[in-house]
Each structure stands twice: as C-alpha cells, then as structure tokens.
Amino acid sequence: MKRILIFLYQSLIFAPIFLLFTILTALTVMAFAPVFGSRYWGYVPPRWWSRLTCWLALCRIKSSGHENLDSNQSYVFVANHQGAFDIFLIYGFLNQNIKWVQKASLRNIPLVGFASEMAGHVFVDNSSPAARVNTINEAKKKVTDGVSIMLFPEGARSHTGKLGRFKRGAYQVAYDLRLPIVPLTINGPFDVMKRGSLCLKPNKLELVIHKPICTENLNECDIPTLIDESREIIHSALWEKFKDQN
C-alpha cells in the first residue's frame, strides 16, 4: 500500500511540480544572469529550486559543519556521489556560492543545459587530453571572490552507495590555485533514488561539511596523499551501510 501511495504521489504531485519549478528556475536564470551576472542569478534561484525539490520529495534534511566555512573564501569542494539528489542536497543546503563541473551531456537537456551555461557552470569535455585541460582551465576562471567550485572526484554516481576511486582533476585545480579542499560527505541520496532508477523513495538526507584542507604549502607530488586524505575523511562520516567492510 505504501509503495502505491508513493508512486501516486510521485506521478501526480512530485513530477508535475518539479517540472514546473525546473522550467521557472531555468527561465529565471536565462533571463537575468546574462544581464545582471551569474554570481547572484546563477546561484540563488537554483538554490531554492534544490531546496524545494528536497522538501517536495518528502526528504528529511540534516546538515552540519557550516561553521568550518567562510562565505568570503573560495574553496574546491569534493564529495562522494551517491545519486541524483546529491546535487539538490549540496546546491540547496551547503550555503556557499558554487559552480559545478558537470557532464557535457547535461548541456543537451532542453532549457536546463542553456541555463547551466548562463549560470556559469563548467561542462567537462573528455574528448581529448587537450579538451580536458581546457575544462580545468575554464573551471579555474570561475573560482574568485568567494565563489567556489564543486566536483565529484569519482566522476559518476555509485552503483552501491559506497566510495569509488577518486580522480585527480579537482585536486589539481586546488593545487594550482592554492585553494583549500573541503571534503563533503553525502548520505542518503542512494536510498532516495538509485542510479538507473526513476523511482522516488522519501528518506533522510545528510550533508557533512568537513574542515578545509590547506594546499598552500604542498608540492605537486603531494597530490596523491591529498586525494587519499580527503577520501578517508569523506569515508569516515558515511553511514555504516555505505562503508567498506574490509
């Protein structure tokens, strides 16, 4: 009976309202960001769209560690990637002005792709080594005056909810710009909507903001250690069922 009620809610209430919010948010960004800049209009409307999506999905939200951040400081945020709701949780409740590094395929989504471009987000181009370098260089341009950048070092959503291998890109940006790395632990999106599923399951979502890791005195050869350190920090705050058992 519960599954039937959730299905009806998702089909008749969540999906139509979510679609309406998405269109209105995209149109707002497209209309105002090119004229007045993306610092406010590329962040605030999508932030409220993300919050409303989490609440509309009947998810209980818990966030902690906000005292570790300075709103005037730029950071490179890195997080585990459990599911689609990672984006809504981070965008809505991190309370930091961020630009996303996201898949190039998202550019093809009607309205949303163009709105993301107007908002100043960066699309990953993996077509060649030179293209990947250009992506990183484009991301570096966005990080200034308290605007931060957000990346998922795993590169793709987890199939199990557990951590995968972390790639180097985010850490190279942090090293090159001498910006602090801030690990974020995400719990719950895997339960709400798993990879490959469109079935919504209301559940608890948790965002844990860890203390920034300074990169100012590091050498480039220290990047692998930085990757391991941040991965371990993220792993430490995962719910037990998402931790490796070995």
Side-chain angles (χ1 to χ4, degrees), residues 18 22 25-26 28-30 33 37-55 61-63 66 69 77 79-81 83-102 106 112-123 142 147-152 184-186 189 205-209:
F18 172 73
T22 302
T25 301
T28 299
V29 172
M30 290 163 60
S38 63
R39 184 179 180 88
Y40 178 89
W41 291 103
Y43 167 61
V44 174
R47 177 186 176 219
W48 281 105
W49 166 70
S50 297
R51 286 191 166 212
L52 290 169
T53 298
C54 290
W55 294 331
I61 311 298
K62 178 183 178 182
S63 62
H66 295 280
L69 302 179
F77 290 100
N80 56 311
H81 202 1
F85 271 74
D86 296 346
I87 295 171
F88 303 126
L89 179 60
I90 294 171
Y91 218 162
F93 298 93
L94 180 60
N95 298 338
Q96 290 284 128
N97 197 326
I98 55 175
K99 303 299 180 187
W100 294 84
V101 175
Q102 50 195 16
L106 296 178
V112 173
F114 186 64
S116 293
E117 191 170 349
M118 293 299 98
H121 302 309
V122 179
F123 294 95
K142 308 292 183 179
V147 175
S148 299
I149 196 164
M150 176 69 224
L151 302 99
F152 294 113
L184 306 175
T185 299
I186 304 296
L205 296 174
E206 182 183 40
L207 170 64
V208 181
I209 305 166

Side-chain angles (χ1 to χ4, degrees), residues 20-38:
L20 177 62
F21 281 159
T22 302
I23 293 173
L24 290 176
T25 301
L27 290 175
T28 299
V29 172
M30 290 163 60
F32 291 98
V35 179
F36 300 105
S38 63

Side-chain angles (χ1 to χ4, degrees), residues 191-209:
D191 296 328
V192 174
M193 187 175 286
K194 297 178 181 178
R195 179 174 178 174
S197 173
L198 294 177
C199 182
L200 179 69
K201 295 182 180 180
N203 212 308
K204 179 180 177 181
L205 296 174
E206 182 183 40
L207 170 64
V208 181
I209 305 166

Side-chain angles (χ1 to χ4, degrees), residues 41 92 113 134 150 161 176 195 219 244:
W41 291 103
N134 288 336
M150 176 69 224
D176 288 347
R195 179 174 178 174
N219 296 315
D244 297 325

